[in-house]
Amino acid sequence: MKTLWQHCHVATMAQGAYSIIEDAAIVTSGAHIEWVGPRSELPSGDFAAVNDLNGAWVTPGLIDCHTHTVFGGNRSDEFEKRLQGVSYAEIAASGGGIASTVRATRVASEEQLFASAARRLKSLMRDGVTSVEIKSGYGLDLANEGKMLRVARRLGAELPISVRTTCLAAHALPPEYKDRADDYIDHICAEMLPALAAEGLVDAVDAFCEYLAFSPEQVERVFITAQKLGLPVKLHAEQLSSLHGSSLAARYQALSADHLEFMDEDDAIAMAKSGTVAVLLPGAFYFLRETQLPPMEALRKHGVKIAIASDLNPGTSPALSVRLMLNMACTCFRMTPEEALAGATIHAATALGMADTHGSIEAGKVADFVAWQIDRPADLSYWLGGDLEKRVVRHGVETSL
Ligand code: NIG
Ligand code: FE
């Protein structure tokens, strides 16, 4: 059953650029794009439905490739403390930070976690997001990491959004392993990852490589286990200091290395070689009032693909809008609106290992796209949040929330 979508301009985002088709038409067949091109070249055919998009700009559905959407509680109390001068690292060292969200997540039921995460996810979706990555990492034991990942899977099953799960068991040290980080890494490698993977809950494996989390040696052990299980890896790296986690990630052909404010040019060269995407998280940069900028020129010079994500989490980026992140990527990191949009579409798809099917508007790909009533694509990173008029199509079907 074919559907025609017309009276629109398309920013296809093929090859990481706008790749604009003016006065375009899109033909979908079921969940896939069958044809896209100038309306004047539309092949004749029988269409079960014809949609007039009223001059909209069509882009791929936005892809948020780094989120911690599932968690208990929130940390606005710590936000207030930080504004009084206490640092993120100090709060973490005194038992707050990630540890406080771990406590709240462990006592929450699957039902409670689902309800609060669904609210946050719907906010992202109302902003044009059709695919999202969701990490565990606030359970830090087998039962609670499993609980988080099951909630993530259920979100993907019950809401019109594609969910990729990432196991982030190596996010922080759980209290029961205090001063025994190597033992916890052993436990992740011997018990947690194999069990969670066997349950089909894990699409990728992540870790937090930082002086206040895990060392490169510990992360490498997690990567080796992931590799044995046939799972791709990614890494929180170079957010607060330079441990060259991004080069380590590149050595393991990581899908992405994320944050990266403190990475250097050698890290960029390593990532370019392995095709590891640089996922920049301007929400966390902004919310922590960081000043160290990611090395944009080195990333560009060496041709590293750059993605932008919300990092939606209760501690460092309570961000409910990917478009707001696009704006911050432009204002804080000096990205162009075109780079930013590529970062939330085609390059985000690469960071999730799904670029063969998602991230651009091309024949053969999944029909996930948004028809925005805007004047030009740069409007998507120009408006600071708000609710832009749009129609969201996922798997060839218009969604409503
Ligand atoms: O991506 N960097 C580590 N993890 C999260 C923060 C988690 C938290 O503070 O709860 C991040 O910024
Ligand atoms: Fe994160």
Side-chain angles (χ1 to χ4, degrees), residues 66 68 236 259 311:
H66 179 140
H68 309 248
H236 284 71
H259 286 290
D311 196 15

Side-chain angles (χ1 to χ4, degrees), residues 246-270:
S246 42
S247 288
L248 169 67
R251 280 208 298 287
Y252 283 82
Q253 279 77 50
L255 290 173
S256 69
D258 304 38
H259 286 290
L260 303 176
E261 281 85 342
F262 286 84
M263 73 181 280
D264 63 22
E265 185 157 1
D266 286 343
D267 296 322
I269 292 169

